[in-house]
Amino acid sequence: MEDLNQSNYSLSASRPAEEQPTEEFSNPLPRAVLRMNSHVLLDGEWKFAHDVEDVGLRDDWALGHAYEHRAHWPGSVEEHLAEARGQQGGATWHDKVVVWYEREFNLPEVAEPQARSLIQLTFGACGYETRVWLNGQLLKTIEGEEVHFGEYTSFSYELDEENLHLVNRLTVRIVDTMDAETPRGKQESHVYKRGGIWYQTYTGAVRSVWLETVERNRLRSRVGVVSVVEDHLVRFNLTLRIHDAGDYLIRLQIFDPLTTDRTAPLATSDFPVRVAAGQWQQRVVLEVPGAELWSPEAPNRYRLVACLVDSEGYAAQIETLFGLRKIEARGRYVYLNNQPTYLDGILYQPGQATLEEMQRHMHAMKALGCNLVRVHIAGVDPRIYNLADELGLLLWVEVPSPHSSTPRSRENHRAELLRLVTLSETHPSIVIWSLYNEDWGAQDIATNPETREYIVETYHFMQIAYPQFLVVDNDGWHHISYTGRLKSDLLTAHLYTPDLTRWKELLDRLVGGEMEGTAAFPLVVGDPFFYRRQVPLIVSEWGGFGFSDYGGPQDAEARTNSIKAFKQELRSRPIAGDVYTQATNIEDERNGLIDPHTGALSVPEDLLASRQLEYLQ
């Protein structure tokens, strides 16, 4: 199995571009884009304190504090509070939690800064609200934030050489609340309390943190990929980080991923740019003649090596794997690479699963015969996206939703969407984005024009800025119609019943265009919408067999037989895809087909694959 997480060479500032090493090593960093440099993980034991009265800022804990406890990073606030209190289970907190972490690191571990380089500190994910100090000095992210908001994506700091010592003290303050206006997914809030489908919180220091040497003038570790398969052109969206204004050259080379010596690129091109200091976005286009497309049946990928070359010929390099693919919703079908493709999907909620467990889950979902995984309103480690690219699993990802509908919740929602999409647009596996699910965070969608206007504007923005994705406005029901045009690339419905006769009736009414009386709420709100198979219809949740509230079959054999029967009814109708609920058990939801720890299946392989249905041609 090929590993994208290869890299970490010696400091690239020590050699010109043509002398870059080619030996590849394991890379433990949670990101898709690789940088050829030295790094050190700061994972492990940290000092820990619960700031119960929230006095740490007032009392300048960043300048010095006596920490009573220790905690392992990465981990959750809930785990660390429980350990500090000597409890076995996860600690509960209400309304607001403030915690502090601190550790030291030695500068020689990451190499001395050089003229062309600096030291960067990156948090793989942390939050919801994070402040960071180095030797008592408050840091700002590369984007200029003294406080970083969000807990699902990475953020970085460039460390000032004047504030670096041989031994350095790193202090982190994390705040989270039960605020229903912040993106929470299915974690509990003031609105939705834990129990049933709402889960305990799992927040804080949830992903690795590391130091690395980076060039002062470089391409950042994010690459967007938009391919148009008809013209063999690939559009790359690059982010330049410049400290020294001047003339630069962006050099792109594309290699077969099995060509380790990189002596014969499939395509190469140079793009001269003149840039001022700051952070800049730049799109460049490269033709890749004869490139094979990426698909679940043939997940072909290519290696991009991108360099920012300065006027002295020095090159700062990044690389990533990418695939060429096209996704389109046209008429009643979803087209992948211009071929109609039925989406055999499954709902996946990773919860508190470890990276290793999530990797087992991905392999298991592939073994079930799925070509689509719907990652349900949760942010996951980017290495899971890498694995989906490799396995050939299509991904339907979603913005972790707020739990209330207000102007502030919409601002937070948009900010979270932009953070997520910016760092995930490298992956050919990601093909669908959901803005909302079942009205969570948009409860007034049927009555509030401002809510609908925000969703419509965001849908239009995604269409223009990220044409490589399909976008669903509000999955399950209450899709928005404007002048009779659906503001969603897919018409989706959540249908739950354990009764096969009732199932057939619901499906017949759905494909017959009945927008009311099929799902729990009307499928469309806003202007009248008349369904005539002009948009793909997807049953994006069904099943739940094993969840007692749904009354489904309890034993594996009965569940298997029900899934076969229900799936056959889906495939005998003009439906574009379906998503079985769900992959693993999680807290109170006991409807999984995969062991959450081992990844073992409780039903036969290929159970969810359409190819198993004999009547299909």
Side-chain angles (χ1 to χ4, degrees):
M1 180 172 67
E2 184 189 359
D3 182 10
L4 173 58
N5 303 310
Q6 318 153 4
S7 95
N8 293 307
Y9 307 87
S10 58
L11 176 62
S12 57
S14 64
R15 55 175 59 83
E18 63 271 13
E19 298 176 11
Q20 291 294 333
T22 57
E23 185 179 1
E24 296 176 341
F25 301 88
S26 173
N27 176 21
L29 303 182
R31 61 185 180 189
V33 177
L34 311 179
R35 188 175 298 282
M36 308 325 121
N37 58 8
S38 59
H39 77 267
V40 60
L41 284 170
L42 297 182
D43 294 354
E45 185 178 88
W46 288 58
K47 298 175 183 178
F48 173 74
H50 183 195
D51 191 354
V52 179
E53 302 297 328
D54 193 11
V55 298
L57 286 177
R58 183 197 68 192
D59 294 347
D60 291 326
W61 284 14
L63 298 180
H65 180 70
Y67 290 83
E68 298 181 3
H69 305 287
R70 298 292 185 270
H72 188 277
W73 192 310
S76 72
V77 165
E78 292 73 28
E79 292 172 339
H80 297 159
L81 289 176
E83 292 166 0
R85 297 169 181 170
Q87 299 173 350
Q88 295 298 316
T92 59
W93 54 270
H94 301 283
D95 189 39
K96 180 179 180 179
V97 63
V98 182
V99 293
W100 292 69
Y101 297 82
E102 188 169 282
R103 66 157 290 166
E104 293 182 344
F105 67 90
N106 297 323
L107 185 60
E109 293 180 1
V110 292
E112 295 283 350
Q114 300 182 13
R116 284 193 172 97
S117 68
L118 51 83
I119 293 178
Q120 179 173 279
L121 169 69
T122 299
F123 290 77
C126 183
Y128 180 71
E129 176 186 322
T130 307
R131 283 180 171 91
V132 180
W133 292 261
L134 175 66
N135 299 322
Q137 179 176 316
L138 182 64
L139 301 179
K140 291 184 180 181
T141 67
I142 294 177
E143 285 71 29
E145 309 163 305
E146 288 188 349
V147 182
H148 174 78
F149 295 96
E151 59 181 290
Y152 302 103
T153 55
S154 62
F155 53 99
S156 298
Y157 302 87
E158 296 173 340
L159 304 186
D160 187 347
E161 184 176 353
E162 295 181 356
N163 193 36
L164 284 167
H165 311 310
L166 290 179
V167 179
N168 299 273
R169 181 167 50 88
L170 190 64
T171 309
V172 182
R173 176 182 183 266
I174 301 173
V175 180
D176 206 350
T177 71
M178 293 289 179
D179 183 0
E181 292 181 318
T182 63
R184 314 192 59 79
K186 290 179 71 172
Q187 299 184 78
E188 65 175 320
S189 71
H190 291 311
V191 172
Y192 299 125
K193 298 299 184 180
R194 183 183 175 187
I197 65 171
W198 304 103
Y199 309 144
Q200 69 180 24
T201 56
Y202 185 85
T203 187
V206 295
R207 211 167 288 163
S208 290
V209 56
W210 64 92
L211 294 161
E212 63 184 319
T213 49
V214 299
E215 292 83 1
R216 287 170 49 83
N217 307 298
R218 63 192 183 278
L219 300 172
R220 293 202 65 190
S221 298
R222 52 187 68 172
V223 176
V225 180
V226 183
S227 56
V228 178
V229 300
E230 291 85 357
D231 59 12
H232 305 290
L233 294 177
V234 188
R235 286 82 172 160
F236 295 104
N237 300 323
L238 304 174
T239 303
L240 286 66
R241 173 60 170 161
I242 304 295
H243 283 267
D244 307 306
D247 294 318
Y248 291 86
L249 195 71
I250 299 173
R251 174 168 297 150
L252 301 188
Q253 292 179 302
I254 294 177
F255 298 86
D256 185 298
L258 301 179
T259 305
T260 57
D261 59 7
R262 304 182 184 137
T263 57
L266 300 175
T268 183
S269 189
D270 290 348
F271 306 87
V273 292
R274 182 173 181 81
V275 287
Q279 184 162 274
W280 305 94
Q281 306 295 319
Q282 182 65 52
R283 169 170 284 198
V284 292
V285 182
L286 194 58
E287 184 176 7
V288 189
E292 297 181 359
L293 303 182
W294 183 96
S295 70
E297 297 76 24
N300 300 300
R301 291 181 296 166
Y302 295 88
R303 187 173 295 278
L304 170 71
V305 177
C307 297
L308 184 67
V309 185
D310 65 20
S311 58
E312 297 179 0
Y314 173 79
Q317 178 178 308
I318 59 173
E319 66 175 68
T320 190
L321 296 181
F322 72 95
L324 285 74
R325 64 108 181 103
K326 176 184 178 183
I327 193 77
E328 186 180 12
R330 178 162 27 102
R332 55 162 286 205
Y333 295 109
V334 172
Y335 288 81
L336 180 64
N337 301 332
N338 295 321
Q339 298 296 319
T341 301
Y342 188 86
L343 301 178
D344 288 308
I346 191 167
L347 190 77
Y348 179 48
Q349 304 188 89
Q352 299 179 31
T354 66
L355 173 63
E356 292 74 19
E357 288 170 340
M358 286 190 286
Q359 290 169 334
R360 295 185 198 115
H361 300 163
M362 297 296 285
H363 284 278
M365 290 184 281
K366 182 78 172 182
L368 279 171
C370 298
N371 62 8
L372 172 77
V373 174
R374 183 176 163 218
V375 183
H376 194 33
I377 54 176
V380 299
D381 190 306
R383 286 170 287 194
I384 295 302
Y385 300 147
N386 294 343
L387 181 56
D389 294 343
E390 178 187 335
L391 294 178
L393 277 171
L394 302 169
L395 295 182
W396 179 339
V397 296
E398 304 172 322
V399 186
S401 61
H403 289 180
S404 64
S405 182
T406 67
R408 179 171 172 264
S409 78
R410 291 189 281 275
E411 290 177 5
N412 291 334
H413 177 274
R414 183 177 176 84
E416 198 69 69
L417 168 66
L418 293 178
R419 285 190 290 265
L420 285 163
V421 75
T422 297
L423 292 173
S424 61
E425 59 171 331
T426 309
H427 304 281
S429 57
I430 300 177
V431 294
I432 304 172
W433 278 87
S434 280
L435 303 180
Y436 288 94
N437 175 80
E438 291 187 354
D439 302 354
W440 301 340
Q443 293 92 331
D444 56 357
I445 189 172
T447 58
N448 188 347
E450 292 182 0
T451 299
R452 294 199 298 274
E453 181 180 2
Y454 165 72
I455 295 174
V456 170
E457 288 180 352
T458 305
Y459 169 72
H460 288 159
F461 164 78
M462 290 291 289
Q463 281 189 314
I464 295 171
Y466 300 100
Q468 68 269 43
F469 305 124
L470 301 181
V471 179
V472 176
D473 57 348
N474 177 47
D475 189 55
W477 53 69
H478 282 164
H479 298 282
I480 299 172
S481 171
Y482 180 75
T483 66
R485 291 177 290 182
L486 201 67
K487 295 305 175 180
S488 176
D489 292 324
L490 306 171
L491 178 60
T492 66
H494 296 176
L495 305 182
Y496 286 109
T497 176
D499 181 78
L500 185 59
T501 301
R502 173 65 172 162
W503 179 245
K504 295 176 183 179
E505 176 191 342
L506 289 175
L507 293 181
D508 286 338
R509 295 175 64 181
L510 184 66
V511 300
E514 294 188 32
M515 297 292 101
E516 298 188 22
T518 49
F521 293 94
L523 288 186
V524 179
V525 295
D527 298 329
F529 175 76
F530 304 98
Y531 175 68
R532 298 294 185 270
R533 304 185 186 180
Q534 70 271 38
V535 62
L537 178 62
I538 292 181
V539 180
S540 52
E541 286 187 28
W542 67 277
F545 300 146
F547 191 17
S548 58
D549 288 355
Y550 293 145
Q554 298 297 313
D555 65 87
E557 182 178 0
R559 187 182 306 182
T560 297
N561 292 334
S562 291
I563 291 173
K564 286 181 177 179
F566 277 56
K567 183 81 171 186
Q568 183 163 342
E569 295 301 327
L570 283 163
R571 292 300 280 119
S572 65
R573 290 167 173 81
I575 292 172
D578 68 84
V579 179
Y580 180 79
T581 305
Q582 64 180 334
T584 66
N585 293 341
I586 178 169
E587 299 198 22
D588 293 338
E589 293 194 68
R590 318 299 297 174
N591 51 357
L593 306 180
I594 301 167
D595 186 282
H597 302 296
T598 68
L601 300 182
S602 61
V603 294
E605 290 190 2
D606 284 329
L607 179 62
L608 297 179
S610 289
R611 63 180 179 273
Q612 293 300 103
L613 302 178
E614 295 180 357
Y615 63 83
L616 290 178
Q617 299 299 317

